[in-house]
Amino acid sequence: MSEAQTVTDDTSVVRDLTAFQQNILVILAEEPMYGLAIKRNLEEYYGTEVNHGRLYPNLDDLVDMGLVEKSELDKRTNQYALTEQGHDALLDQFDWMLAKFVTGDDRAGEVVDLVDEHR
């Protein structure tokens, strides 16, 4: 695949995301959530408070990129869901990471063990 093809590939957009934005996508891969539930998941992961001023602009950016869909639960609450493009972008990122990490049978086994642990 040429560099030009990689740049225009929809899934490659994840490569330009911040780690924070990628973590939001990973959280939404589990199930659609409202903003405060995403915030709680991020705070649990980071072990520190996540400001609304950081979370919601990043969610809006992910919506603008077509990776997340925003819908209204009620007048005050929005729900966010991973889109098919977001799902494909995460798979692309996992594929790249695994290609770098899995360098032999031992490491492949470690990944299989992790997957089995979370089934």
Side-chain angles (χ1 to χ4, degrees):
M1 181 181 294
S2 75
E3 186 174 313
Q5 287 172 315
T6 302
V7 171
T8 60
D9 185 352
D10 285 341
T11 58
S12 69
V13 70
V14 77
R15 295 177 186 140
D16 293 328
L17 298 178
T18 65
F20 186 77
Q21 290 169 327
Q22 289 181 30
N23 291 338
I24 291 171
L25 295 181
V26 170
I27 288 167
L28 290 174
E30 185 176 17
E31 65 183 352
M33 294 182 192
Y34 59 98
L36 289 177
I38 297 167
K39 182 179 183 294
R40 280 194 294 271
N41 273 271
L42 288 166
E43 289 173 343
E44 182 180 320
Y45 176 72
Y46 287 113
T48 188
E49 184 179 350
V50 172
N51 295 324
H52 287 78
R54 181 179 185 199
L55 175 62
Y56 290 101
N58 278 285
L59 281 167
D60 289 339
D61 288 345
L62 293 169
V63 168
D64 291 344
M65 287 183 248
L67 302 174
V68 171
E69 180 179 76
K70 178 180 177 179
S71 60
E72 194 174 277
L73 282 177
D74 59 42
K75 296 285 184 198
R76 295 176 41 120
T77 308
N78 292 313
Q79 178 169 282
Y80 299 88
L82 193 66
T83 64
E84 193 64 35
Q85 184 181 352
H87 175 267
D88 292 347
L90 275 178
L91 281 178
D92 181 60
Q93 180 69 10
F94 295 151
D95 181 54
W96 180 82
M97 291 171 68
L98 286 172
K100 299 298 180 193
F101 180 79
V102 177
T103 57
D105 289 343
D106 288 345
R107 286 204 175 166
E110 291 173 349
V111 172
V112 169
D113 290 345
L114 280 175
V115 170
D116 286 344
E117 199 176 298
H118 295 282
R119 284 187 187 185

